[in-house]
Amino acid sequence: MGSELVLIGLIKNGWPIVETVAVASVGNVLGSVINFGIGYLLHKGFMKSRLNHYKANLIRAEELFNKFGRWTLLFAWLPIIGDPLTLFAGLSRVNFGLFLLLVSIGKVARYAVIATSV
């Protein structure tokens, strides 16, 4: 909830909504791009053996990803499961353009909803 609280605080202090949502969204999407890149560069066996404390989240993300496909990336904004979803997208070699589009839609929508309800 860190970025959401900052967004709310900035908007309540008079920062313009559109620009604030844009900056927050770009920053959050860039974080997901980093996760995608890490997943893309590393193979699944390495990740599972070295990230034991994320193992349950990674396995859950993989199950969701396998069940619902690339559309799960629309939910990359969710706490706990969002980062593993973007990591698994990289591991699965999802087309980067599609990845960027779906993740961006989800994250911009989240910040827009938060900003308009302040």
Side-chain angles (χ1 to χ4, degrees):
M1 279 302 283
S3 63
E4 292 86 352
L5 293 176
V6 172
L7 179 78
I8 291 167
L10 292 172
I11 291 171
K12 284 190 175 204
N13 283 302
W15 287 54
I17 291 176
V18 173
E19 291 89 340
T20 306
V21 167
V23 169
S25 299
V26 167
N28 210 290
V29 169
L30 287 175
S32 293
V33 168
I34 290 170
N35 284 343
F36 178 91
I38 291 169
Y40 193 86
L41 294 173
L42 301 172
H43 59 85
K44 200 184 284 190
F46 177 86
M47 295 305 294
K48 285 189 176 179
S49 67
R50 303 235 176 5
L51 295 177
N52 285 330
H53 67 284
Y54 291 117
K55 190 172 185 175
N57 292 343
L58 187 60
I59 290 169
R60 178 72 178 130
E62 183 176 4
E63 289 169 353
L64 285 171
F65 200 84
N66 288 336
K67 185 174 181 180
F68 299 108
R70 289 156 176 75
W71 297 108
T72 59
L73 294 171
L74 289 168
F75 301 98
W77 58 269
L78 288 170
I80 300 171
I81 199 74
D83 287 339
L85 280 173
T86 58
L87 185 70
F88 190 73
L91 287 166
S92 300
R93 305 292 199 267
V94 169
N95 173 280
F96 183 72
L98 179 62
F99 167 85
L100 196 58
L101 176 67
L102 294 175
V103 169
S104 296
I105 289 169
K107 292 187 184 253
V108 169
R110 171 188 67 166
Y111 283 126
V113 167
I114 292 169
T116 56
S117 46
V118 171

